[in-house]
Amino acid sequence: MKNRVITISREFGSGGRTIGKKTAEKLGIPCYDNELIGQIAAQSGFNENYIKDAGEYAPGGRLSSALWNRAFGPTNEDYLWKIQYKIITDLAEKEPCVIVGRCADYILRDTADCLKVFIHADMKFRAERIVKVYGERESSPEQRLRDKDKRRAAYHRFYTDMKWGHAQNYDITLNSGTLGIDRCVDIIASLY
Amino acid sequence: MKNRVITISREFGSGGRTIGKKTAEKLGIPCYDNELIGQIAAQSGFNENYIKDAGEYAPGGRLSSALWNRAFGPTNEDYLWKIQYKIITDLAEKEPCVIVGRCADYILRDTADCLKVFIHADMKFRAERIVKVYGERESSPEQRLRDKDKRRAAYHRFYTDMKWGHAQNYDITLNSGTLGIDRCVDIIASLY
């Protein structure tokens, strides 16, 4: 019998991570998010910050990869992808859980009984939220959001060939800006 | 104070219309779907079947329009769009209700307090459903679905410039195939 797993993809600043954590708490199951990065770091030997970044760049999306001709073999990102794939598959096999980000929906498409969730919100909601949560940066919050969205979509597209944010890829998508974070948690938990 | 309106966009065969009707019943408010077509027919003088069809063709999407150079003025579809726009705006002004299809989400974007829903399901679920609900046809159910999806997306795109089925355009999207029709009804009603 397959474990029941909830995967949460999310736009940056939409509160998807918070929704994942709260849902997991409500259901009494673990939530994997930054923990995943730690595990990938331990198994790959790469630095955690590098892995965080690599999870948002499609190969070719930054200089190191752009200079690397893929005809010579896999990139660092490809190597990380394989480790990530294995870790997520193992987690889902071990116990019911919530997994935030890292293309878990795609990775588990055949191996787990998966509720696939996507969380998004409009620019204004997210801009206010990232300034509150992560503080001010040199570039405007809107610029940071556009940049992150573009990178996540490209990464997702590269490794999964699925269009990020397309309703058809998920069981449910929720606008945390209009519905509110707690309501999103209630709905997801009720579907478990 | 704006009326609270639920708009339901849906893939053909996903049960979106049934979900709309059941949600409206549960909430004790009217649901407009085929009734809309009757009203558009009465106000336009066009035949109901023509209107049903026109709601799924972007101008240029069928022969009559393809032969009509838009430089000479609006097409029949443009004329119907205006009537439809007015009818839907009036309905939302009159009372709380559920409106299925007809780009109501876009039409009401500024004039109503709108819960925007999109219903979809995978090909297999929809193929079985349309054969059960609408019977066999000459072309395969899969072919009929692909054809309808394409036309609805083009129509939506033409008149609203929004991408049909993009999570970001809706408050909530639901996979009726994996979640089941009754569960979709419960979730939508709980958000009202």
Side-chain angles (χ1 to χ4, degrees), chain B residues 4-65:
Chain B
R4 188 108 174 96
V5 174
I6 298 174
T7 61
I8 298 187
S9 301
R10 77 288 182 219
E11 287 185 336
F12 183 55
S14 67
R17 200 181 352 168
T18 306
I19 290 170
K21 292 228 173 292
K22 285 191 169 190
T23 305
E25 262 170 41
K26 195 164 180 167
L27 296 170
I29 58 177
C31 176
Y32 296 103
D33 171 24
N34 282 331
E35 300 75 7
L36 273 179
I37 298 189
Q39 291 195 31
I40 298 171
Q43 290 198 23
S44 66
F46 282 108
N47 177 277
E48 294 202 5
N49 283 332
Y50 179 84
I51 295 163
K52 248 185 209 167
D53 258 19
E56 291 181 345
Y57 286 95
R62 58 176 169 181
L63 203 56
S64 65
S65 303

Side-chain angles (χ1 to χ4, degrees), chain A residues 50-87:
Chain A
Y50 179 84
I51 294 164
K52 249 185 208 165
D53 257 17
E56 293 182 343
Y57 286 93
R62 57 177 168 181
L63 202 59
S64 64
S65 303
L67 294 174
W68 180 256
N69 185 331
R70 292 173 66 83
F72 293 134
T75 61
N76 283 347
E77 286 85 355
D78 294 341
Y79 170 64
L80 287 177
W81 171 256
K82 274 192 194 159
I83 292 174
Q84 173 174 328
Y85 203 102
K86 173 87 172 56
I87 289 173

Side-chain angles (χ1 to χ4, degrees), chain B residues 73-118:
Chain B
T75 61
N76 283 348
E77 285 85 355
D78 294 342
Y79 170 64
L80 287 176
W81 170 256
K82 272 191 196 161
I83 292 174
Q84 173 174 327
Y85 202 102
K86 174 85 173 55
I87 289 173
I88 287 176
T89 312
D90 288 352
L91 277 178
E93 223 162 80
K94 206 178 67 182
E95 61 188 348
C97 57
V98 175
I99 303 178
V100 179
R102 298 267 146 194
C103 302
D105 47 357
Y106 174 78
I107 292 172
L108 299 176
R109 68 198 180 284
D110 296 323
T111 57
D113 176 14
C114 214
L115 180 75
K116 296 187 293 261
V117 181
F118 181 73

Side-chain angles (χ1 to χ4, degrees), chain B residues 166-187:
Chain B
H166 257 223
Q168 282 86 343
N169 294 332
Y170 308 95
D171 297 307
I172 182 167
T173 78
L174 296 161
N175 182 334
S176 56
T178 56
L179 302 176
I181 283 179
D182 288 333
R183 212 166 220 185
C184 292
V185 172
D186 290 343
I187 293 174

Side-chain angles (χ1 to χ4, degrees), chain A residues 11 120 165 167-168 171 173 175 178, chain B residues 11 165 167-168 171 173 175 178:
Chain A
E11 287 185 335
H120 62 96
Q168 282 85 344
D171 296 307
T173 78
N175 182 334
T178 58
Chain B
E11 287 185 336
Q168 282 86 343
D171 297 307
T173 78
N175 182 334
T178 56

